[in-house]
Amino acid sequence: MTTIAHISDLHFGCEAPMVREGLLEALHQVNPDLVVISGDVTQQAKRREFQAAHAFLAALPYPHLIVPGNHDLVENNLPERLLFPWKKWRHYISRELEPVKQDEDYVAIGINTARRVSLHPDWSRGSISRLQVARIQRQLRTTPETSLRLLTAHHPFWLPPLFAHRELVKRSQPALQAFQSQVDIILSGHVHLAYAQVTQGVIVSHAGTTLSNRLLLHHTNSFNVIRGDRERLSLELMEWGNQRFRLSRQQVFQRLDDGWHQQQ
């Protein structure tokens, strides 16, 4: 059985130190095979924030896969954003923007959905290109049939109705159609809301903000734990309360001939 810890939207620069230490303790109890981090590791893409994120990653004693989010691009320095958008990321976080982690039980593929520029007036919106979809399809064609297939992006492929104004990643529907029967679960963040939903036979699972004080009303810091294989997956929501992370909710999914279904 594979165990994945999914954390997101760490926002170093406005992180809560106590929660950071509590996360490391909780991960020690989970002992994951892989920690997935779905973007926004910094708040304003400042050098000191990247340095804090680097120190956090160095303290993780587990393999990790990390992709950038829109906050990891500098907002108020247009020359840097246009000419050297990923210089700090590559120096402090990873040389890769779209990493792949694979062992005999799973393959985890990273997607960079953050864009330096956009035709949309809000440059925080994300996009997935046809070339990215094709790359993922090529990768999955060489993946063993029994391996759990995970994709990680920052921006959402599904949203609850109350959050529809946040908008899905651009080209999400063609991408989901291309991923049907090939992808088991997509892990994302961005909206600081934890939820999981099956759409077009694929599980879309989002993590809330794990470390930051940028919380939605009536929500707390959280992360997710995914356990299982290609036949059955358990998604556990771990929420911060009383100075520690505790299990708050569990959802169970089963894969049938027509894709994934949530068990009642």
Side-chain angles (χ1 to χ4, degrees):
M1 181 177 69
T2 299
T3 301
I4 307 289
H6 174 205
I7 66 179
S8 192
D9 295 81
L10 308 180
H11 290 288
F12 280 97
C14 58
E15 79 279 8
M18 182 180 295
V19 180
R20 177 190 183 278
E21 296 308 309
L23 174 64
L24 293 174
E25 293 177 8
L27 290 176
H28 177 73
Q29 297 297 319
V30 173
N31 191 28
D33 299 295
L34 179 71
V35 176
V36 168
I37 309 168
S38 54
D40 277 3
V41 298
T42 67
Q43 174 59 20
Q44 295 181 315
K46 294 181 178 180
R47 190 173 302 278
R48 65 176 179 271
E49 295 171 353
F50 275 111
Q51 290 171 338
H54 175 83
F56 170 78
L57 294 174
L60 282 181
Y62 318 100
H64 67 268
L65 179 146
I66 183 168
V67 297
N70 53 283
H71 276 267
D72 301 315
L73 286 163
V74 68
E75 184 177 8
N76 56 4
N77 185 333
L78 195 59
E80 177 184 330
R81 183 173 182 124
L82 295 179
L83 299 176
F84 311 105
W86 304 115
K87 182 177 180 180
K88 293 172 187 170
W89 179 274
R90 294 185 189 279
H91 181 75
Y92 290 106
I93 305 300
S94 173
R95 297 295 302 172
E96 298 177 286
L97 299 175
E98 298 188 316
V100 176
K101 297 287 186 180
Q102 187 169 7
D103 76 359
E104 61 183 10
D105 296 319
Y106 69 86
V107 59
I109 301 173
I111 314 168
N112 178 19
T113 56
R115 297 292 184 259
R116 72 178 85 182
V117 293
S118 172
L119 294 177
H120 196 291
D122 182 357
W123 287 8
S124 72
R125 308 296 187 186
S127 177
I128 181 170
S129 71
R130 296 178 182 87
L131 289 177
Q132 287 175 304
V133 172
R135 175 185 68 85
I136 293 164
Q137 289 180 308
R138 288 195 302 271
Q139 176 75 35
L140 293 176
R141 279 197 290 269
T142 63
T143 299
E145 180 64 28
T146 57
S147 294
L148 182 66
R149 291 111 180 272
L150 307 99
L151 302 185
T152 302
H154 178 64
H155 294 88
F157 284 75
W158 182 88
L159 283 168
L162 287 177
F163 290 82
H165 64 282
R166 297 297 303 273
E167 297 188 13
L168 301 177
V169 62
K170 187 178 179 181
R171 300 188 189 91
S172 61
Q173 291 309 305
L176 283 170
Q177 291 172 8
F179 296 152
Q180 279 183 324
S181 77
Q182 298 186 58
V183 172
D184 297 310
I185 185 168
I186 300 177
L187 308 179
S188 302
H190 187 58
V191 294
H192 294 197
L193 180 71
Y195 58 83
Q197 172 76 20
V198 175
T199 178
Q200 300 192 40
V202 178
I203 305 169
V204 175
S205 177
H206 283 242
T209 176
T210 303
L211 295 185
S212 83
N213 57 21
R214 301 180 69 246
L215 298 168
L216 296 177
L217 186 65
H218 306 308
H219 291 269
T220 186
N221 297 103
S222 66
F223 73 98
N224 298 329
V225 178
I226 300 110
R227 306 179 195 267
D229 52 32
R230 282 213 84 191
E231 303 304 319
R232 185 179 184 275
L233 285 175
S234 167
L235 271 64
E236 301 170 3
L237 172 62
M238 306 293 293
E239 291 191 312
W240 180 256
N242 295 326
Q243 300 185 350
R244 65 188 181 96
F245 282 99
R246 298 179 297 177
L247 177 63
S248 174
R249 182 178 71 229
Q250 183 182 48
Q251 295 170 270
V252 177
F253 299 84
Q254 184 175 5
R255 188 168 71 97
L256 304 177
D257 292 340
D258 60 344
W260 286 90
H261 296 261
Q262 183 171 350
Q263 293 184 345
Q264 302 301 319

